[in-house]
Amino acid sequence: MGLYVLPYIGGVIGLGLGLFAIFRPYGAAKLVGIKIDDALPHSISEVRATYGGVFAGGHAFALVTGSDTAFVTLACGWGLTGIVRLVSMVIDRAANGANYGGTAFEFVIAALLATPFLIS
């Protein structure tokens, strides 16, 4: 078992974030630093669908199937998210605590999801 528990930890975290966004979209929006505009009803749907549906669906699939490919695909997504955030911090002059924390979190989740498949 050993390292093979790590992707499941990352998967549960990702699934939890997705479920949080589905059932608590205002809380999820606040967590990531965006605001739902009540005058634009589709904005709440966007948070539920993108932060909720995509996160919950992808992570649930990996957890249920145990697919190495699914876990590595999620790891690539999390890792690229961290890389894009780093680039944004430079080109958008957006280096701040929230972005540093977000980047670290994204790389940790990517590492959890991918580590056993990279070293075996």
Side-chain angles (χ1 to χ4, degrees), residues 4 7-8 59-71 117:
Y4 283 92
Y8 288 91
H59 291 83
F61 178 82
L63 291 167
V64 169
T65 64
S67 165
D68 296 5
T69 302
F71 283 118
F117 309 111

Side-chain angles (χ1 to χ4, degrees), residues 68-82:
D68 296 5
T69 302
F71 283 118
V72 172
T73 299
L74 289 170
C76 289
W78 281 99
L80 186 57
T81 301

Side-chain angles (χ1 to χ4, degrees), residues 38-103:
D38 292 325
L40 301 170
H42 64 278
S43 65
I44 194 168
S45 299
E46 187 65 27
V47 172
R48 285 187 201 272
T50 304
Y51 289 94
V54 171
F55 274 53
H59 291 83
F61 178 82
L63 291 167
V64 169
T65 64
S67 165
D68 296 5
T69 302
F71 283 118
V72 172
T73 299
L74 289 170
C76 289
W78 281 99
L80 186 57
T81 301
I83 291 167
V84 170
R85 187 184 299 271
L86 286 173
V87 171
S88 173
M89 289 192 312
V90 173
I91 65 173
D92 300 326
R93 294 189 178 104
N96 61 27
N99 267 334
Y100 289 125
T103 302

Side-chain angles (χ1 to χ4, degrees), residues 8-9 23 34 37 50 61-62 68 74 91 104 106 116 118-119:
Y8 288 91
I9 293 169
F23 295 107
I34 62 175
D37 185 343
T50 304
F61 178 82
D68 296 5
L74 289 170
I91 65 173
E106 290 149 3
L118 297 175
I119 62 173

